[in-house]
Amino acid sequence: MIDTQIDVINKLGLHARASGRLIEITTKFRSTIQIGKGDKLVDAKNILSLLMLGAGKGSTLRLVIEGVDEEQALQEVQALFAAKFYEAD
C-alpha cells in the first residue's frame, strides 16, 4: 500500500477537465486509488467524488493506492499533477 501526499499546482485546481484527465489515468489500473484531504478520502475513479473535494490550487491531498499495479499508478498520477494536467498557465 502506498500512502503519500500530492500538491495541486495547476491554476484552476481539481476542476471538471482536470478531474476527467485524472480519471482517464486511474481507471486504467486494477489498484484501488483514493484521494482526499486528511481522513476524508474518495474514490479517484469517480468524477463526482473528485469534484466534491473542492481541491483548489495550493491544496495538499492525500493519495492512497493499493493493489498489484500501485507503483505504476502512483507514477502516472504524480506525472499528471506535475504536468499541471496539461493545461496552459
Side-chain angles (χ1 to χ4, degrees):
M1 181 175 88
I2 297 170
D3 190 339
T4 189
Q5 292 186 335
I6 194 160
D7 294 321
V8 180
I9 59 173
N10 63 310
K11 184 177 180 180
L12 299 174
L14 201 53
H15 60 93
R17 186 171 36 251
S19 294
R21 288 194 173 131
L22 179 57
I23 287 175
E24 286 175 9
I25 289 176
T26 58
T27 55
K28 295 189 312 185
F29 297 100
R30 291 177 42 205
S31 295
T32 59
I33 304 172
Q34 295 182 305
I35 194 165
K37 298 176 182 177
D39 290 334
K40 183 187 177 218
L41 296 175
V42 299
D43 182 0
K45 298 178 183 183
N46 182 307
I47 193 151
L48 292 177
S49 296
L50 292 175
L51 294 173
M52 295 295 288
L53 283 176
K57 181 178 182 177
S59 298
T60 298
L61 300 175
R62 182 175 170 209
L63 181 63
V64 178
I65 307 172
E66 186 171 9
V68 295
D69 50 7
E70 62 189 25
E71 290 291 337
Q72 183 64 32
L74 175 65
Q75 290 176 9
E76 290 197 30
V77 170
Q78 286 177 327
L80 179 66
F81 275 74
K84 299 181 181 178
F85 298 91
Y86 304 103
E87 297 174 350
D89 281 335

